[in-house]
Amino acid sequence: MKRAGAITAVAGGGLTAAGMSRFTPKQVAGAELDRLVDSGVYRVTRNPQYTGYTLSLAGLAVARGSGVAALLGAGVVACFRYWISLEESYLDDKLGETYREYRRRTHRWLGPPK
């Protein structure tokens, strides 16, 4: 079980890094929006950083066998869900139909293209 948790945590870190690597620091911070990125890991999740963080937190909780870590991770996920809804609204306003089409074909968290 510890090994599976550690592998999940590392995979989550890789997903986070893959998502962030597509952007400049200003874009990651949300200070610059010039285009929709829908290739690479963004084909299977609209939120690779949040998905990766979530996988890492879950993996660490499993690897450590910690209920407290699992509860903290669940709280972080709740915050992510709220934040993602704000980001989606912002991107819908800025990118319009291009973003709405992307939302229709790509999962919020993780999954094969629809």
Side-chain angles (χ1 to χ4, degrees):
M1 197 64 140
K2 287 184 179 190
R3 178 177 278 181
I7 290 169
T8 301
V10 170
L15 182 58
T16 299
M20 292 180 76
S21 72
R22 305 292 303 208
F23 297 103
T24 66
K26 281 186 178 183
Q27 290 169 323
V28 170
E32 184 177 274
L33 176 64
D34 59 349
R35 64 184 165 80
L36 175 69
V37 173
D38 60 357
S39 60
V41 295
Y42 287 88
R43 286 183 27 241
V44 295
T45 174
R46 295 193 312 262
N47 299 286
Q49 291 95 330
Y50 300 137
T51 303
Y53 294 144
T54 299
L55 288 171
S56 291
L57 290 170
L60 291 171
V62 169
R64 300 290 299 162
S66 173
V68 172
L71 286 173
L72 289 172
V76 169
V77 170
C79 291
F80 284 166
R81 287 185 57 138
Y82 173 72
W83 187 255
I84 288 170
S85 68
L86 296 176
E87 286 183 343
E88 287 175 341
S89 178
Y90 172 78
L91 291 169
D92 187 66
D93 288 345
K94 294 293 182 185
L95 300 173
E97 185 56 34
T98 301
Y99 183 68
R100 288 189 286 279
E101 173 57 32
Y102 175 60
R103 283 183 68 181
R104 283 191 285 275
R105 71 175 188 269
T106 309
H107 292 275
R108 176 185 268 182
W109 290 99
L110 194 60
K114 294 178 183 177

